[in-house]
Amino acid sequence: MKTDITAAERERLVEAAFESMKNSYAPYSHFNVGAAVLAQSGKIYTGANVENASYPAGICAERSAVSCAVSCGEKRIAAVAVVGGKDFKASSFCAPCGICRQVLREFCEPQELLVILDDGNGMRKEMTLAQLLPESFGPDSLV
Ligand code: THU
């Protein structure tokens, strides 16, 4: 598993998340989120939140990005960057919701997946998925 994520890769990932946030479709919450995942192959895949008039049909940015990666043939994710805020302006840290944490869990080793949050004001937070989702239930749990 790729665990050596360089400073340049971190920058690219955060930049891609901000770029993807521009495509967010959130006419109901007005809370726009962008996510970018770094797959095992070294490629970056992005996603934005896409809301729906039938509210529960909406999808978060992180799950959009994971779906994009997996749809392109990736099976392992090494890192994810998430940015978000009201009206396309990131103003504080946007941590992945519970469902997104579980979806990320499917495609990584929780201790190895790097989660990067950027608040849009020059502040970053980094953590592992294991810190966000301890004692998780994953593919191994079913064996
Ligand atoms: N949202 C995300 O895209 N990711 C998260 O982890 C938290 C929430 C979206 C869902 C919804 O479109 C909007 O933010 C407000 O909840």
Side-chain angles (χ1 to χ4, degrees), residues 13 16 35-39 41-47 65-66 68-70 72-74:
L13 210 53
V37 299
L38 175 66
S41 66
K43 288 188 188 160
I44 289 176
Y45 300 85
T46 58
V66 169
C68 181
V70 175
C72 289
E74 305 285 357

Side-chain angles (χ1 to χ4, degrees), residues 26 29 31 33 49 51 59-62 94-97 100:
S29 73
F31 193 87
V33 185
N49 58 328
E51 297 185 348
I59 186 170
C60 291
E62 298 91 319
C94 179
C97 80
C100 290

Side-chain angles (χ1 to χ4, degrees), residues 109-129:
E109 282 303 322
Q111 303 87 336
E112 292 177 6
L113 180 79
L114 175 68
V115 180
I116 307 168
L117 309 180
D118 188 300
D119 74 347
N121 294 310
M123 294 294 283
R124 293 259 172 96
K125 266 188 193 173
E126 292 191 354
M127 64 219 71
T128 66
L129 185 66

Side-chain angles (χ1 to χ4, degrees), residues 85-142:
K86 278 264 169 188
D87 300 317
F88 297 96
K89 176 93 185 74
S91 53
S92 58
F93 295 111
C94 179
C97 80
I99 299 171
C100 290
R101 293 177 195 199
Q102 182 63 35
V103 169
L104 287 162
R105 166 68 185 88
E106 188 73 14
F107 302 103
C108 70
E109 282 303 322
Q111 303 87 336
E112 292 177 6
L113 180 79
L114 175 68
V115 180
I116 307 168
L117 309 180
D118 188 300
D119 74 347
N121 294 310
M123 294 294 283
R124 293 259 172 96
K125 266 188 193 173
E126 292 191 354
M127 64 219 71
T128 66
L129 185 66
Q131 290 173 298
L132 291 177
L133 192 69
E135 301 295 335
S136 64
F137 187 91
D140 294 351
S141 312
L142 293 173

